[in-house]
Amino acid sequence: MQKEIVLLPGDGIGREIMNSAKVVLDKVATLYNHQFTFHSHAIGGAALDEHGVPLPEEAVQACKTADGILLGAVGGKKWESLPPHLRPEKGLLEIRSTLGLFANLRPIKGFSSLLHASPLKEEVIKGSDILIVRELTGGLYFGKPSERREDGDAAIDTLYYHRSEIERVVDHAFKSAMIRDKHLTSVDKANVLESSRLWREIVEEKSKEYPEVTVEHVLVDAAAMKLITNPNSFDVMVTENLFGDILSDEASVLTGSIGLLPSASLNEDGVGLYEPIHGSAPDIAGKGIANPLGMILSAALMLRHSFELEEEAKAIEDAVQEALEQGYHTADLHIQNDGKQVGTEEMTQVVLNILSKK
Ligand code: NAD
Ligand code: IPM
Ligand code: MN
C-alpha cells in the first residue's frame, strides 16, 4: 500500500516525539511491505518563527491532499503574549476547522501492567475502557465569530451549536457505541445551558435510530467526579468541545500518564488528523525524556481509521503493551525505580525491537 503522510511536529516535545512515530511507521512499512512517504510542515510556534503565521497555506494544501496527518503538539512560552490570531494554538484550531474534523476520538484504556502507576486505586480503575467522543469544531472554542469580541474589561465567548453540528457528532458516538459495549453517556450542562438542552434533545432523537444502545445523560460536573470514582460506568462518552478537552485530560489519570493517550480527529469523509492528547510540555521539552507512546499510538490509530490497516495498527499497539509489560517506561510514569526508566529514544527503540521480532 502506498500512502502520503503529512507530519506536523509543531513545538516543544511535539518535535521530539514525532520522530518516534515516523520510525515506527517506517518499520511497519518494511515489515508489511508498504510505502509510506512523509512530508513535514511547520505549524504553531515553529510556523510563526519560519513563516509569520501559525498555519501556513502550504501546510493546509499538503494536509488537504494527504492520506493521513500526524500532529505532535503546539504552543510554548515564547509565543504566549502574541495576539489571539497569531497564537500557535490558533494554527491547530484552524487546521481542525478547515478540514472539518468534527469528531475527536480519545480512547482511554489503561494498560494492565500500569494499574499501579495511577494515583487512583487499582480496584477503581481496573477494567476501565472509555471512548471519549469530543466535538471538535464548534461549541465554546469557535462560537459565532461575529459575536466574539474583546471590549476593554469585558470579553465574550459564545457556546453556539447548530443542530447539524450536534447531530453528526452524536451519530458518530452512537456508531462507536454499537461496535463497543452499546452504552452511551452524553455529558452536558442541561440544568443551565440552552445549548446543552438542544444537545440532550438531539441525543434523545438519535437514540431512536439505535435502540440497542442504552443512553444516559450526565451533567458535566458530576461526570468529572464519576470519571475517577467509577470509571467502569462509562463506555462511550459524547460531549461538547471544551467539556471533552477537560474531561479527557482528567481521564488520562486512569492510565498513569497523559503521555500515553492518542487521539483521532475525523471528518465526514473519514480523513483524519492524529495527535496525542497532551501538549508541547514546555517543562520537559529539549530534555529527551518525553513519553513517545501517545504519539506512536496515534500513528496506530491512523493506520486503523484512515488506511484500514487493522493488523498493522494492532501490531503497534501490542508492541507498546509489551514494552510496558517488560517494565520499560519514561519518567512521567511514576513507577518505583527499577532500572527500566528510559528516555524518548530508548523507549522508541524498545518498541521497534519488539515489532521486529513479530
Ligand atoms: P501539557 O499537556 O503540555 O503538559 C501537562 C503536563 O504533562 C506537564 O507537566 C508535561 O510535562 C506533562 N506531559 C505532557 N505530555 C507528556 C509526555 N508525552 N511525556 C511526559 N510528560 C508529558 O499541557 P500544558 O503544560 O498545559 O500546555 C503546554 C502548551 O501546550 C500550551 O502552550 C498549550 O496551549 C499547548 N497544548 C497543545 C496541545 C496540542 O497541540 N494538541 C494540547 C494541549 C496543550
Ligand atoms: C488539545 C489541546 C487544544 C485544545 C489546544 C492546544 C487548542 O488542549 O488538543 O486537547 O484545547 O483542543
Ligand atoms: Mn487539551
Side-chain angles (χ1 to χ4, degrees):
M1 187 177 272
Q2 201 184 342
K3 295 289 180 191
E4 306 285 326
I5 300 167
V6 164
L7 305 179
L8 304 172
D11 310 314
I13 64 165
R15 306 165 80 86
E16 301 166 37
I17 56 176
M18 183 57 83
N19 187 55
S20 305
K22 182 180 174 295
V23 294
V24 165
L25 287 170
D26 276 334
K27 176 65 75 184
V28 166
T30 310
L31 294 171
Y32 292 85
N33 219 2
H34 300 302
Q35 209 187 330
F36 297 147
T37 314
F38 300 97
H39 310 273
S40 206
H41 290 272
I43 190 170
L48 279 160
D49 288 352
E50 275 176 47
H51 308 276
V53 286
L55 182 66
E57 189 50 35
E58 58 171 62
V60 176
Q61 288 314 320
C63 288
K64 281 185 173 165
T65 54
D67 296 310
I69 307 157
L70 289 181
L71 187 137
V74 298
K77 282 235 161 345
K78 184 177 174 189
W79 308 282
E80 260 170 20
S81 46
L82 289 170
H85 68 286
L86 287 179
R87 283 195 60 121
E89 291 82 358
K90 180 75 183 166
L92 177 58
L93 296 177
E94 230 175 276
I95 193 68
R96 288 173 178 169
S97 177
T98 304
L99 299 176
L101 306 168
F102 68 90
N104 181 223
L105 314 185
R106 298 189 159 187
I108 297 115
K109 188 174 178 188
F111 294 93
S112 48
S113 58
L114 290 181
L115 281 175
H116 61 297
S118 170
L120 301 171
K121 292 195 181 104
E122 287 194 37
E123 66 262 31
V124 171
I125 56 178
K126 197 169 179 209
S128 61
D129 180 356
I130 306 170
L131 176 69
I132 296 183
V133 180
R134 169 188 175 194
E135 201 291 325
L136 200 63
T137 51
L140 205 47
Y141 274 59
F142 291 89
K144 278 179 97 178
S146 61
E147 289 176 8
R148 193 167 176 156
R149 292 269 191 283
E150 224 182 279
D151 175 18
D153 288 340
I156 307 170
D157 293 290
T158 317
L159 205 179
Y160 169 90
Y161 270 121
H162 188 274
R163 155 176 287 276
S164 59
E165 293 175 281
I166 304 174
E167 279 172 354
R168 62 185 182 181
V169 74
V170 165
D171 191 65
H172 200 105
F174 270 107
K175 287 199 167 74
S176 300
M178 283 299 287
I179 53 172
R180 292 175 47 105
D181 287 344
K182 299 192 171 66
H183 183 62
L184 179 66
T185 306
S186 175
V187 174
D188 63 33
K189 188 75 185 173
N191 53 345
V192 176
L193 302 176
E194 201 52 46
S195 58
S196 283
R197 289 191 271 271
L198 176 63
W199 184 284
R200 212 174 254 225
E201 208 176 289
I202 290 168
V203 171
E204 281 302 307
E205 282 170 24
K206 270 272 166 221
S207 73
K208 299 196 177 78
E209 292 172 35
Y210 300 91
E212 286 173 60
V213 178
T214 56
V215 175
E216 194 183 2
H217 301 278
V218 180
L219 297 172
V220 63
D221 44 357
M225 185 266 291
K226 260 178 105 172
L227 202 49
I228 47 174
T229 51
N230 190 9
N232 276 292
S233 67
F234 296 97
D235 173 25
V236 178
M237 177 193 287
V238 65
T239 193
E240 187 267 342
N241 203 341
L242 181 65
F243 297 163
D245 180 50
I246 297 168
L247 292 177
S248 53
D249 268 34
E250 186 195 1
S252 77
V253 177
L254 301 168
T255 68
S257 172
I258 194 169
L260 290 168
L261 292 194
S263 85
S265 306
L266 307 173
N267 68 14
E268 311 261 13
D269 313 318
V271 171
L273 180 150
Y274 301 83
E275 55 170 321
I277 79 159
H278 62 74
S280 57
D283 54 339
I284 59 161
K287 296 185 179 162
I289 59 170
N291 190 339
L293 297 180
M295 185 77 243
I296 291 173
L297 292 169
S298 298
L301 289 184
M302 176 177 75
L303 297 183
R304 173 173 297 123
H305 291 285
S306 283
F307 303 170
E308 289 173 7
L309 295 175
E310 177 60 32
E311 192 186 337
E312 290 83 338
K314 187 80 175 37
I316 295 177
E317 289 165 351
D318 287 350
V320 167
Q321 180 170 335
E322 200 175 320
L324 292 168
E325 273 166 13
Q326 287 178 11
Y328 292 99
H329 63 92
T330 41
D332 49 308
L333 281 159
H334 299 292
I335 294 172
Q336 279 181 344
N337 198 354
D338 48 12
K340 287 193 169 172
Q341 181 171 309
V342 292
T344 310
E345 278 185 24
E346 295 114 297
M347 191 74 211
T348 308
Q349 197 54 52
V350 171
V351 173
L352 288 176
N353 292 345
I354 296 171
L355 264 176
S356 304
K357 288 191 199 119
K358 293 278 157 196

